[in-house]
Amino acid sequence: VVDFAFANKGPSARNWMGTDLVGRDIFSRILYAYQISLFLGIVVLAIAPPVGAVIGLLAGYLGGWAESILMRIVDVFLSIPPLVLAIAMMGVLEPTLTNAMLAVTVMWWPWYARLVYSIARSEREEGYVLAAEVILPNCLPAIITKMTLDMGFVIIIASSLSFLGLGVQPPTPDLGSMVAEGARYLPDSWWLTVFPGLAILIVVFGFNLLGDGLREVLGVDQ
């Protein structure tokens, strides 16, 4: 809620993390930005892993010309730094949440293709593998662990796009855009940048801890 009477106030009992330049509560905006970041991460990780898994499974199980063609396509995508690819896509697309999700998804599926391909290629040589349906269940623990770890990285990439003005647009709160906006007023109004930055750190650290825990529980190799 805009309240110019409390504009640009530091942390207090009324506003735990202070207010921004138009009097909006930083803590409330961070909570709303978390919803957007998590939604983006869930959508990306609901699309990229299945696409990558299918391509990696086909390449690893079929072999031959199919393996060569599919994995060369994957190699082309992997040769481009992820953030650079996302920025290039957003440079030609309108900066919206939907396009940000599309850009991150396009850059993320090749990693799952490579992961599943490596597992499928090793297990297709085993005597007990009789069909592709047998390989996929053996890939699931690694896929689930990677998805959990990747949630934090997806949020970082999405926040980076917003920091550069290529993601979620104001006035919708986003962690990256909040950091970018607050950086112009450092060091005087430090809370505008520090608390959104800490919010990114906390969520990424949390998903990394969860991913490490799942890796141990599921017995996934490092």
Side-chain angles (χ1 to χ4, degrees), residues 34 196-206:
Y34 265 153
L198 285 175
I200 297 174
L201 175 64
I202 290 171
V203 71
V204 172
F205 184 63

Side-chain angles (χ1 to χ4, degrees), residues 30 175 179 192-202:
I30 286 176
L175 297 175
V179 172
L192 297 176
T193 298
V194 169
F195 289 120
L198 285 175
I200 297 174
L201 175 64
I202 290 171

Side-chain angles (χ1 to χ4, degrees), residues 144-145 148-149 151 204-217:
I144 293 173
T145 301
T148 306
L149 291 169
M151 178 65 86
V204 172
F205 184 63
F207 277 112
N208 273 273
L209 287 179
L210 179 59
D212 287 339
L214 284 176
R215 181 159 51 194
E216 294 183 6
V217 171

Side-chain angles (χ1 to χ4, degrees), residues 38-134:
L38 292 175
F39 174 72
L40 187 149
I42 290 172
V43 171
V44 170
L45 295 178
I47 299 174
V51 172
V54 169
I55 293 174
L57 184 62
L58 289 174
Y61 181 73
L62 296 177
W65 62 268
E67 176 182 3
S68 298
I69 294 175
L70 291 174
M71 294 316 297
R72 294 301 75 75
I73 294 174
V74 171
D75 289 340
V76 169
F77 278 91
L78 291 179
S79 66
I80 305 173
L83 184 57
V84 172
L85 178 59
I87 291 175
M89 287 193 61
M90 292 305 298
V92 297
L93 297 175
E94 182 182 357
T96 64
L97 176 60
T98 300
N99 288 338
M101 289 189 291
L102 174 63
V104 178
T105 300
V106 168
M107 56 168 279
W108 224 268
W109 69 266
W111 301 97
Y112 287 90
R114 174 64 67 181
L115 172 66
V116 174
Y117 166 73
S118 300
I119 298 174
R121 187 181 181 186
S122 63
E123 296 205 359
R124 77 182 178 191
E125 308 298 334
E126 300 292 339
Y128 66 85
V129 176
L130 302 177
E133 292 84 354
V134 180

